[in-house]
Amino acid sequence: MDPLTSAVADAFTLLRQDLCQRLDDAESSSTSYEDWDEEDIDAARELIPHLVLVLRGLLLDHQMRPGGECRTCSVAWPCPVVALMHGLLKDPENQFPALTHRVHKER
Ligand SMILES: [Zn+2]
């Protein structure tokens, strides 16, 4: 692997680790068995809108162009990102177990 490719691969690994750490932090506070104190409640009140904003940002980036394709993926809309989000948000009871399995398999 050439040095530039290696550096890019390292950067992608660091980016992925940073994103995963943020999600791990959010998940660990929400799955605590202890009663939440005011600090936990304040953190949740800050975190939930941030996570919703992330989803809204993804939807914004994957809007349909006038020609009918996704503005980011350049495939027919709804693109795989929007289709996946729609399924997860509309049918979480059926979609979450499979997603949870996939996520934990990747870790
Ligand atoms: Zn897309």
Side-chain angles (χ1 to χ4, degrees):
M1 186 180 298
D2 71 64
L4 182 59
T5 303
S6 178
V8 170
D10 288 349
F12 283 0
T13 298
L14 291 173
L15 175 65
R16 186 178 189 286
Q17 287 173 345
D18 181 54
L19 293 170
C20 288
Q21 184 61 53
R22 289 175 187 269
L23 295 173
D24 287 347
D25 291 347
E27 185 178 46
S28 69
S29 64
S30 70
T31 57
S32 170
Y33 288 105
E34 298 175 15
D35 290 337
W36 282 17
D37 59 20
E38 283 300 317
E39 187 177 326
D40 295 326
I41 294 168
D42 289 346
R45 284 187 174 139
E46 183 178 320
L47 181 63
I48 291 169
H50 288 174
L51 293 175
V52 170
L53 183 61
V54 168
L55 295 176
R56 289 184 194 280
L58 281 172
L59 284 177
L60 187 65
D61 285 348
H62 292 271
Q63 285 180 328
M64 183 174 61
R65 286 187 192 140
E69 71 278 357
C70 171
R71 66 194 267 187
T72 298
C73 300
S74 299
V75 299
W77 203 88
C79 68
V81 172
V82 171
L84 178 62
M85 284 182 64
H86 181 264
L88 291 170
L89 294 172
K90 287 292 192 180
D91 189 20
E93 289 82 16
N94 288 320
Q95 300 293 321
F96 279 14
L99 180 59
T100 300
H101 178 74
R102 286 176 41 213
V103 167
H104 287 288
K105 192 174 165 185
E106 276 294 312
R107 284 184 162 178

